[in-house]
Amino acid sequence: MSINWICKHHTELGKEQLYAILQLRAQVFVVEQKCWYLDVDGQDLLGDTCHLMAWQGDQLVAYLRLLDPIQQNGDVTIGRVVTAPSMRNKGMGHELMVQALEHAERQWPDQPIFLSAQAHLQGYYSRYGFNPVGEIYVEDGIPHISMRRDLD
């Protein structure tokens, strides 16, 4: 079954889409990764936040959010990057990043992009032009590193 990519401004999200987003994030971040934190952090509906979703039929199989640079001190910020367990090791994460970079460039041309990566994924994100910024830190019990993709 093919993947349907949708990127929506937060004001365009339907309640079913928002529910599926929150459900997938809770399934992976809270239950699977055992990170007890407030996922609903007030940024999902802030400014020009956009939500990039990959749907296979009626199932949300990958997701991330793009926070606008005005709200994020000049950088587009990629966050809440998640792939459904059923879609791992099938190239979905790579396609998610390609789509994210295309949508970020279209929405906010010529803006640097920032993300907070789990430290073991530093090499993965470096393939997309992200470079580490600062030292590794622990967030929610998981080592992370800040990464930035500057303008070419």
Side-chain angles (χ1 to χ4, degrees):
M1 187 178 292
S2 65
I3 302 298
N4 183 23
W5 290 95
I6 299 171
C7 190
K8 287 190 172 184
H9 188 272
H10 67 83
T11 59
E12 300 172 325
L13 286 175
K15 66 179 182 275
E16 292 83 6
Q17 290 170 323
L18 182 57
Y19 185 88
I21 290 167
L22 296 174
Q23 185 178 41
L24 180 60
R25 288 176 9 187
Q27 174 190 1
V28 173
F29 300 137
V30 177
V31 177
E32 180 183 324
Q33 295 181 355
K34 296 178 178 55
C35 292
W36 313 112
Y37 71 105
L38 186 60
D39 178 48
V40 181
D41 60 1
Q43 296 192 62
D44 290 312
L45 306 178
L46 188 65
D48 278 331
T49 295
C50 291
H51 300 269
L52 177 61
M53 302 167 280
W55 293 89
Q56 188 174 49
D58 63 354
Q59 291 294 118
L60 181 64
V61 295
Y63 164 85
L64 59 74
R65 70 180 180 191
L66 298 164
L67 303 175
D68 81 78
I70 293 171
Q71 303 292 328
Q72 302 297 314
N73 300 317
D75 289 348
V76 175
T77 300
I78 294 175
R80 303 296 198 259
V81 179
V82 62
T83 302
S86 64
M87 295 301 287
R88 293 189 190 141
N89 300 313
K90 297 180 180 181
M92 180 59 63
H94 293 290
E95 185 60 28
L96 181 61
M97 284 308 301
V98 168
Q99 292 281 334
L101 296 174
E102 288 175 3
H103 284 281
E105 178 62 26
R106 196 167 30 251
Q107 182 73 21
W108 302 285
D110 303 319
Q111 295 296 310
I113 303 172
F114 176 87
L115 57 79
S116 177
Q118 291 185 6
H120 72 278
L121 295 173
Q122 182 177 339
Y124 169 79
Y125 288 113
S126 69
R127 289 184 244 171
Y128 300 96
F130 288 91
N131 295 302
V133 178
E135 300 297 319
I136 292 176
Y137 59 94
V138 176
E139 183 177 328
D140 301 315
I142 299 173
H144 281 72
I145 189 155
S146 296
M147 299 188 79
R148 192 163 191 257
R149 184 177 193 256
D150 289 311
L151 304 173
D152 292 330

